[in-house]
């Protein structure tokens, strides 16, 4: 059986001192690695200062070897904060206004990808299956091919892929598209992302769609498809059921004093639509005065990528906005918004989701959004809450029982909050059941298995295949 080699920017190394269960992606990939045996390689999250680090740190856990590399300060700055998070992230999230393209950082991005390839090659065996994750590592297959690697290589993009008009505004788009042609399978989160990719190739005259999801481009035939990522649905539902015994969850429930809970959980990221969401909540409270003092909105927003200027600026904007709404609408015995920037462990999150009558997931653009799926998995079947979901989250392609909103439409989102809070039990149950049935089948193992099955069906790397 062929070994699996996963490469991602961040590597969820198991931490025995941390009792919190890992996220679904880590669990699914770990399960696949455990079954096949394999390697998970990536950045340690640490900087080695000015000097390039010599050795990979290797951690053995059962049949899995975690292989971690430090990066220099310059690498972290140019590759991660710079090109990945100031060019690729905003462009792929349709935010050309926030894209800050610089040639130096682009060079750093390609340099770090080559560095990853150099580190990976000595670890590889000829029949390993390689699965590369996300936008940080788009050029990695090309680098590996140049070093003679002929293994099957798959790539999964966790964030959206925008249409050609947006994508082509990025100065280096040709090189990145060409890089994708070195994979055997390229996976996206949704049918829209997949269609945008094929559309961009066709429009540029650099690719054509063949039958069976195959694509001919840059003298290669490879496959592209969509594989919406799932969560560990059944396990998450169990955490949520058990969470009522958790001390912190109990204290949170008592502190509500009977008020209806509305919850939002997002990294502090401009793609998550936080300012628009706060506007919508303010509008809801103002337009529905009967709810004053009867509802509490808890927004859990761990800080993220704080070294990137746009993220740092957002920390102030969102905190000030939450403070202003509380100042203007709050009373001596009611705070409309509880806003926190500390992260919350997943078992506690599961309990909070279950307690919440409304899950507010309103990104301006999101690859998938696992919070939307976790909120549904955590609900009590006898009294489920309602998901208010942005139509621009990848999750909206699957979660048909949600109240879909346009997050730019303040009044529309405000109306959806009101509708969710007033929704009769029978309708809530019918909507929830439909989504839960879907999530139980389309869980994270399903995502992992379908991607790997499709990858294994590819014939392997043949440079002259399409000639
Ligand atoms: O590693 P960070 O820079 O701290 O960022 C955290 C992760 O954010 C992104 O998540 C995406 O993947 C999710 C799972 O597929 C998806 O639900 C979500 O919509 C995406 O935004 C990023 O793509 C990851 O690489 C980061 O680790
Ligand atoms: O305080 C927090 C906030 C978020 N999360 C987890 O972070 C993930 C966020 O994933 P999502 O796909 O929603 O967005 P991303 O941050 O990857 O863009 C989810 O699994 C959340 O449960 C968490 O564990 N603690």
């Amino acid at each position: 059986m062929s070994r699996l080699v996963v490469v991602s920017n961040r590597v969820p190394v198991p931490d025995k001192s941390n009792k919190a269960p890992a996220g679904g992606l880590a669990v699914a990939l770990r399960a696949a690695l455990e079954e096949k045996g394999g390697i998970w390689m990536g950045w340690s999250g640490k900087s080695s200062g000015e000097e390039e680090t010599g050795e990979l740190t290797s951690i053995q856990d059962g049949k899995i070897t975690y292989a971690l590399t430090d990066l220099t300060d310059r690498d972290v700055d140019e590759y991660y904060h710079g090109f990945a998070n100031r060019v690729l992230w905003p462009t792929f999230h349709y935010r050309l206004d926030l894209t800050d393209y610089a040639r130096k950082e682009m060079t750093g991005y390609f340099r770090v990808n080559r560095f990853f390839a150099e580190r990976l090659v000595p670890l590889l065996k000829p029949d390993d299956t390689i699965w590369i994750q996300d936008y940080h590592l788009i050029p990695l297959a090309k680098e590996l091919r140049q070093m003679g690697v002929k293994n099957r290589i798959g790539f999964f993009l966790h964030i959206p892929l925008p249409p050609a008009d947006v994508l082509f505004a990025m100065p280096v788009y040709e090189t990145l598209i060409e890089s994708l042609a070195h994979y055997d399978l390229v996976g996206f989160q949704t049918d829209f992302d997949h269609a945008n990719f094929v559309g961009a190739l066709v429009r540029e005259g650099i690719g054509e769609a063949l039958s069976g999801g195959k694509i001919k481009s840059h003298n290669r035939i490879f496959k592209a498809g969509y594989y919406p990522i799932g969560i560990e649905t059944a396990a998450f539902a169990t955490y949520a059921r058990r969470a009522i015994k958790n001390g912190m969850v109990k204290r949170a429930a008592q502190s509500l004093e009977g008020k209806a809970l509305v919850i939002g959980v997002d990294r502090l990221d401009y793609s998550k639509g936080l300012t628009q969401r706060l506007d919508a909540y303010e509008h809801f409270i103002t337009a529905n005065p009967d709810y004053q003092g009867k509802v509490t909105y808890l927004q859990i927003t761990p800080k993220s990528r704080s070294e990137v200027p746009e993220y740092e600026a957002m920390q102030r904007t969102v905190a000030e906005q939450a403070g202003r709404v509380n100042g203007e609408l709050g009373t001596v015995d009611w705070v409309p918004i509880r806003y926190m920037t500390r992260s919350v462990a997943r078992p506690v999150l599961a309990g909070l989701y279950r307690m919440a009558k409304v899950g507010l997931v309103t990104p301006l653009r999101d690859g998938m959004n696992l919070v939307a799926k976790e909120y549904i998995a955590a609900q009590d079947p006898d009294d489920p809450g309602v998901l208010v979901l942005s139509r621009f989250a990848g999750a909206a392609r699957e979660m048909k029982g949600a109240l879909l909103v346009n997050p730019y439409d303040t009044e529309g989102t405000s109306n959806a909050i009101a509708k969710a809070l007033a929704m009769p039990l029978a309708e809530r149950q019918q909507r929830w059941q439909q989504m839960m049935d879907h999530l139980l089948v389309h869980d994270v193992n399903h995502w992992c298995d379908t991607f790997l099955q499709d990858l294994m069906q590819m014939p392997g790397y043949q440079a002259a295949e399409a000639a």
Side-chain angles (χ1 to χ4, degrees), residues 10 80 85 89 134-136 158-159 189 229 267 305 366-370:
R10 284 194 194 275
Y80 177 68
N85 285 326
W89 182 272
D134 229 353
Y135 61 103
H136 316 88
H158 289 258
I159 63 175
Q189 295 272 27
I229 193 166
R267 271 182 311 101
R305 308 175 191 166
D366 217 330
M368 178 51 65
N369 197 296
L370 297 179

Side-chain angles (χ1 to χ4, degrees), residues 265 267 272 300 302 343-344 346 349 353 366 369-371 374:
V265 178
R267 271 182 311 101
K272 303 291 182 182
I300 299 171
S343 70
V344 173
R346 285 161 58 77
L349 263 190
Y353 288 140
D366 217 330
N369 197 296
L370 297 179
V371 166
E374 291 168 359

Side-chain angles (χ1 to χ4, degrees), residues 79 82 98 132 141 168 196 209 233 248 281 284 310 320 351 384 391 432:
Y79 147 83
L98 297 178
I132 293 167
F168 293 174
N196 285 341
T233 313
M248 207 180 295
Y281 178 71
F284 158 73
E310 291 75 21
E320 280 170 16
R391 52 178 299 191
W432 173 80

Side-chain angles (χ1 to χ4, degrees), residues 26-36 64 445:
V27 173
L29 288 174
R30 247 182 234 152
L33 280 162
E34 197 60 64
E35 186 192 323
K36 292 167 177 288
I64 309 175
N445 293 316

